[in-house]
């Protein structure tokens, strides 16, 4: 019976389906709220017969049969969710690990995701009635973070438990020196949470990165962005500039900034940049929807300094820029998670009126756990490609007919996105939606000058919100999901790692091995990380 279970897991069909489903659930806390009834829809893609069959044994693999008789895993379902736990159980069993569904004295390695040590101990006590004494790195049971699991799966054998794998090991017992020496160079090799310990420093470095991009210096932009990203992944607050000496990308110029902030609380160069006319004008101009750095720079050289100066440009503005200016005040306000949920209902309603079982996933910053964003991003797909033909235009026209669309522009799907092309070419709609029942804040004086219909708008009961809709073929769904979840720096690093380290070309359509000249299909995000030989990074830790 047990060998049958194992064989099922390696046959691939069932595993692939569960993997696909599990990939949808990796968005960490709040995912149910984020995805709404999406899970049910995702499950509806899985044929009933196979769903019932289930790929994973709920019985523990007998430790005598396991390849590693000294290791018995217990996966903590709390925050991980049952589908993902089932997927990870299958993965471990396939690699020959013993995984037990119940906690017992046999358990040597307790693995959990996004819980503290005390949360895990309490959860186990409530589930099994057993009080557990954590053994740290030296003794069992080890109470471990998922990093130990992913590293072990990558290697195909249990890796040695180190203090950094153990939950509840405080900063002081882990050598800070050692921690800094172990930070990898690529952002996609690191876990970067939304909230971290060095915000004053990363904010300062990001001002310098932005300023460099305004001056057209890609190299300086990347230098400061990479330094900032490394510090975001540090598990402790920096106390001295000495601590960054072994960190990747934290060289000369960044070190000066770090030192000044640590010693004086501010960095003079950053303050000078923030107060400069060029920086302030470029920041204001590039914050208009439809205005990139090149346009803003040209305007600046033509004498434009503020939004009101744009009135003189009149007819030279594109339709997108005019819409951006008209709704400037609203678009400057962040979109809250609650508002994003309302947008999701609106978008799903429009799409489902044409294709009831269309799959709609919120991506971008909200999928990474952000509580607010500058827009709301959605990925749309369906197993039947025919169902997707013309769907985006029909759905947007449907919303437009209801008065919910303030601006939209559909970019058609580009052809030839196979091979080593690094660009993305999915059909995409860039839009501004009128979100109902929200009271807008009082418009700024600048906006009064540029919003001719302001009087009419001041009584309105809607707020303008930027929404991006992306349609992808079902076969490319997990690549598009990975590509549109961000962060932008995480994506940049993933593609750079793929190309330079793995000689593979990654985009939102797929992964192409340049040397072997072949594509790697994927049915989950985990599988893409595995193709790249990277430990899996959940969306909530991609805030690089
Ligand atoms: P956003 O610019 O919306 O960023 O792009 P965000 O992370 O959601 O943060 P907010 O909206 O400022 O709060 C989301 C992701 O989509 C990809 C990028 O990788 C980015 O990380 N993207 C965006 C593209 O692939 N192409 C685009 O044209 C835009
Ligand atoms: Mn976004």
């Amino acid at each position: 019976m047990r060998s049958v279970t194992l064989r099922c897991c390696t046959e691939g069909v069932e595993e692939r389906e569960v993997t696909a489903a599990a990939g949808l659930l990796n968005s960490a806390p709040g995912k149910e709220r984020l995805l709404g009834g999406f899970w049910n829809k995702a499950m509806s893609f899985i044929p009933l017969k196979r769903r019932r069959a289930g790929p994973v044994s709920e019985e523990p693999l007998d430790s005598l049969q396991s390849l590693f008789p000294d290791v018995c895993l217990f996966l903590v379902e709390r925050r991980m969710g049952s589908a993902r736990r089932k997927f990870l159980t299958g993965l471990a069993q396939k690699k020959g690990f013993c995984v037990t569904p119940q906690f017992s004295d046999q358990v040597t390695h307790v693995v959990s995701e996004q819980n503290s040590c005390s949360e895990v101990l309490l959860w186990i006590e409530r589930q099994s009635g057993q009080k557990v004494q954590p053994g740290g790195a030296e003794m069992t049971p080890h109470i471990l973070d998922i990093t130990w699991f992913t590293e072990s799966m990558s290697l195909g054998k249990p890796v040695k438990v180190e203090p950094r794998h153990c939950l509840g090991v405080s900063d002081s017992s882990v050598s800070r020196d050692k921690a800094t020496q172990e930070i990898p160079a690529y952002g996609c090799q690191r876990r970067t949470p939304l909230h971290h310990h060095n915000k004053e420093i990363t904010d300062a470095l990001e001002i310098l990165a932005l300023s460099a991009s305004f001056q057209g210096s890609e190299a300086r932009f990347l230098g400061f962005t990479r330094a900032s990203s490394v510090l975001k992944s540090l598990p402790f607050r920096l106390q001295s500039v000495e601590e960054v000496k072994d960190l990747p990308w934290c060289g000369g110029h960044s070190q000066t900034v770090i030192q000044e902030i640590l010693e004086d609380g501010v960095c003079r160069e950053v303050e000078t940049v923030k107060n400069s006319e060029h920086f302030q004008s470029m920041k204001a101009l590039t914050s208009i929807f439809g205005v990139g750095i090149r346009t803003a720079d040209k305007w600046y050289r033509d004498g434009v300094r503020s939004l009101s100066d744009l009135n003189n440009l009149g007819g030279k503005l594109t339709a997108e820029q005019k819409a951006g200016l008209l709704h400037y005040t609203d678009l400057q306000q962040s979109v809250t998670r609650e508002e994003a949920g309302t947008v999701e209902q609106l978008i799903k309603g429009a799409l489902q009126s044409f294709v009831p079982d269309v799959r709609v996933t919120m991506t971008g910053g909200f999928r990474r756990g952000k509580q607010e964003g500058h827009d709301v991003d959605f990925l749309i797909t369906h197993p039947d490609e025919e169902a997707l033909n013309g769907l985006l235009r029909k759905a947007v026209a449907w919303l437009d007919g209801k008065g919910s669309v303030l601006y939209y522009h559909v970019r058609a799907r580009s052809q030839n996105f196979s091979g080593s092309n690094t660009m993305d070419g999915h059909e995409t709609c860039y839009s501004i939606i009128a979100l109902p029942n929200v009271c807008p804040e009082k418009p700024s004086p600048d906006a009064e000058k540029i919003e001719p219909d302001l009087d009419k708008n001041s009584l309105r009961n809607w707020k303008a919100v930027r929404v991006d809709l992306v349609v992808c073929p079902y076969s490319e769904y997990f690549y598009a999901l990975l590509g549109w979840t961000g962060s932008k720096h995480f994506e940049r690093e993933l593609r750079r790692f793929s190309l330079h380290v793995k000689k593979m070309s990654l985009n939102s359509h797929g992964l192409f091995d340049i040397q072997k000249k072949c594509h790697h299909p994927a049915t989950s995000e985990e599988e893409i990380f595995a193709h790249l030989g990277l430990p899996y990074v959940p969306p909530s830790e991609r805030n690089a």
Side-chain angles (χ1 to χ4, degrees), residues 30-48:
K31 66 207 170 196
E32 288 84 356
R33 191 149 47 96
L34 236 180
L35 298 173
F38 178 54
W39 171 240
N40 294 337
K41 292 207 173 57
M43 287 307 282
S44 72
F45 285 107
I46 301 173
L48 252 184

Side-chain angles (χ1 to χ4, degrees), residues 364-365 374-377:
H374 98 281
D375 67 357
V376 199
D377 309 287

Side-chain angles (χ1 to χ4, degrees), residues 175-192:
S175 150
R176 290 160 71 102
D177 266 4
K178 192 155 178 290
T180 56
Q181 282 162 13
E182 284 171 357
I183 303 271
Y186 287 87
C188 55
Q189 296 172 302
R190 304 188 291 260
R191 290 175 158 250
T192 316

Side-chain angles (χ1 to χ4, degrees), residues 334-335 363-368 370 372-377 411 424 428 430 466 468 470 480-492 495 508 543:
S334 296
V335 185
T363 58
F366 287 110
R367 184 163 184 258
R368 302 197 307 276
K370 278 177 73 172
E372 47 185 43
H374 98 281
D375 67 357
V376 199
D377 309 287
R411 191 190 68 182
D424 297 335
T428 306
Y430 304 96
R466 274 270 300 110
D468 285 343
V470 182
L481 181 63
L482 179 61
W484 278 84
T485 295
S487 68
K488 280 200 190 74
H489 187 61
F490 189 86
E491 302 298 331
R492 200 183 294 122
R495 291 177 191 206
S508 286
N543 293 289

Side-chain angles (χ1 to χ4, degrees), residues 297-308:
D297 183 58
K298 183 181 176 305
W299 286 349
Y300 186 84
R301 282 187 280 111
D302 289 345
V304 176
R305 293 292 179 270
S306 68
L307 302 183
S308 44

